[in-house]
Amino acid sequence: SQQGEEDPQALSIQEGENATMNCSYKTSINNLQWYRQNSGRGLVHLILIRSNEREKHSGRLRVTLDTSKKSSSLLITASRAADTASYFCATFGGYQKVTFGTGTKLQVIP
Amino acid sequence: NAGVMQNPRHLVRRRGQEARLRCSPMKGHSHVYWYRQLPEEGLKFMVYLQKENIIDESGMPKERFSAEFPKEGPSILRIQQVVRGDSAAYFCASSPGLAGGENTGELFFGEGSRLTVL
């Protein structure tokens, strides 16, 4: 079963706009991670936020985590056509498997 | 430093044949995960292995599917008597585990093996 549900399922924006994706999960976690997948390729790790952190930045990426609501968001600022991909959140409980959400398909229109 | 290597990248099998997918983790990584992905869907966990041990196989179908990660050599995901519903992309990922003192669960993915069952 999927741990996370992502919202929206698909998102289409113009280049230069910001893209926000949300992830909700069900169980307690050690950390939450975001991955990117280009069409037909493997996943690439983007950023990790620990359960005791509320916000984290990496370049144009900003991730927030609200453990009381069991939710996270990924913000991509000043989007580029090259950001077009699917984005997945993943939860890690410390000793168990890494479980992925359903993904958000982002299209950035040049 | 080579990444996670999966082969074959593409595999075509007829119903009833066996499919064998291989995964060589990154150097120094002792944890391997296998995931299955249908077109336009997310990744579904199948199995989590450490060297010579299956840690969690809760996502593996009870029949026809097996996985191993021997002391030497790649991890193998084996599907016996394939059916059309097995057609999917199978991704392997590795992580260093407790190397460095903390297991963050950060995964490094291969490019996947795409199985087509005719």
Side-chain angles (χ1 to χ4, degrees), chain B residues 46-107:
Chain B
M46 298 183 73
V47 63
Y48 165 34
L49 310 103
Q50 296 177 24
K51 281 283 187 183
E52 301 184 275
N53 289 304
I54 295 174
I55 305 304
D56 185 336
E57 57 180 348
S58 58
M60 287 271 276
K62 295 285 185 273
E63 297 177 353
R64 303 188 297 108
F65 285 72
S66 62
E68 62 177 9
F69 187 18
K71 186 176 180 181
E72 301 291 338
S75 175
I76 306 285
L77 178 67
R78 184 180 174 209
I79 311 172
Q80 294 178 290
Q81 299 174 336
V82 295
V83 301
R84 289 215 173 111
D86 297 332
S87 295
Y90 293 84
F91 286 95
C92 169
S94 71
S95 75
L98 283 170
E102 180 190 9
N103 182 10
T104 65
E106 179 181 343
L107 300 182

Side-chain angles (χ1 to χ4, degrees), chain A residues 31 35 40-42 98 105, chain B residues 35 40 102 104 107 111 114:
Chain A
N31 65 58
Y35 290 78
R41 305 295 300 274
V98 178
K105 195 167 186 176
Chain B
Y35 292 87
E40 306 301 317
E102 180 190 9
T104 65
L107 300 182
E111 294 290 0
R114 280 150 188 84

Side-chain angles (χ1 to χ4, degrees), chain A:
Chain A
S1 63
Q2 298 298 116
Q3 160 76 308
E5 294 289 332
E6 293 184 61
D7 161 54
Q9 288 188 326
L11 180 61
S12 183
I13 59 175
Q14 296 289 330
E15 201 166 30
E17 294 181 335
N18 296 342
T20 300
M21 291 159 254
N22 303 296
C23 166
S24 60
Y25 58 93
K26 298 172 185 172
T27 61
S28 62
I29 60 170
N30 268 31
N31 65 58
L32 186 142
Q33 305 167 39
W34 285 88
Y35 290 78
R36 165 195 169 123
Q37 184 181 33
N38 285 66
S39 181
R41 305 295 300 274
L43 278 73
V44 175
H45 183 268
L46 294 176
I47 192 166
L48 179 153
I49 185 165
R50 291 179 168 78
S51 60
N52 60 354
E53 296 176 313
R54 292 296 167 258
E55 188 171 311
K56 200 160 184 181
H57 297 254
S58 176
R60 293 184 295 114
L61 304 180
R62 173 178 169 254
V63 170
T64 62
L65 179 65
D66 186 336
T67 52
S68 66
K69 295 180 179 177
K70 290 187 167 58
S71 67
S72 174
S73 67
L74 171 68
L75 169 68
I76 304 174
T77 60
S79 64
R80 304 167 182 168
D83 294 329
T84 294
S86 291
Y87 292 82
F88 295 90
C89 67
T91 54
F92 179 63
Y95 300 99
Q96 306 300 324
K97 61 200 180 217
V98 178
T99 308
F100 285 80
T102 50
T104 292
K105 195 167 186 176
L106 173 66
Q107 181 185 25
V108 181
I109 302 166

